[in-house]
Amino acid sequence: FSNLAYVEGRKLRSAGVRAAIASDFNPGSAPLNSLWFAAFLALVKGGFAVSEVLTGITRNAAFAMGVEKTHGVLKVGRPAQMILFEGTCPEDFFASPMGDHLKAVVI
């Protein structure tokens, strides 16, 4: 909405950056609060691979918030908060630009 250029995933990858992907929800300049849409934009406009997007909304997001020792990956002894979507492969998560193919939430 602010007409800024998209992040270039290729440049970040080349520089070894661990990119976290999130919504920058702000009613004035970023009125969409959808993590799915932020991930979709990273994939189609930012040049990130599907695996990088999924890592960016899980492991790298936890690292960016300083909670990587307790969150970000599914591991025995950690809290498990999962959102399950329709599909049979990771690419199915991005099959529609409108997203929200939610099947279940597990806490």
Side-chain angles (χ1 to χ4, degrees):
F1 289 93
S2 60
N3 232 6
L4 296 173
Y6 289 100
V7 169
E8 295 183 41
R10 181 178 41 82
K11 286 184 179 180
L12 293 176
R13 194 171 28 258
S14 296
V17 171
R18 293 176 68 172
I21 298 169
S23 165
D24 185 19
F25 179 62
N26 175 325
S29 61
L32 293 173
N33 64 352
S34 168
L35 176 61
W36 181 91
F37 192 67
F40 180 79
L41 286 178
L43 180 69
V44 300
K45 294 292 190 180
F48 290 88
V50 170
S51 60
E52 292 170 317
V53 170
L54 295 175
T55 300
I57 64 175
T58 56
R59 181 184 298 253
N60 290 354
F63 180 79
M65 294 187 299
V67 296
E68 70 277 8
K69 293 188 185 317
T70 57
H71 293 76
V73 297
L74 295 175
K75 188 174 181 181
V76 173
R78 290 187 177 188
Q81 299 173 352
M82 299 179 290
I83 301 172
L84 308 175
F85 293 90
E86 294 175 344
T88 57
C89 64
E91 290 79 8
D92 289 345
F93 179 70
F94 301 104
S96 164
M98 297 313 291
D100 197 20
H101 305 286
L102 184 65
K103 294 301 278 183
V105 176
V106 179
I107 297 176

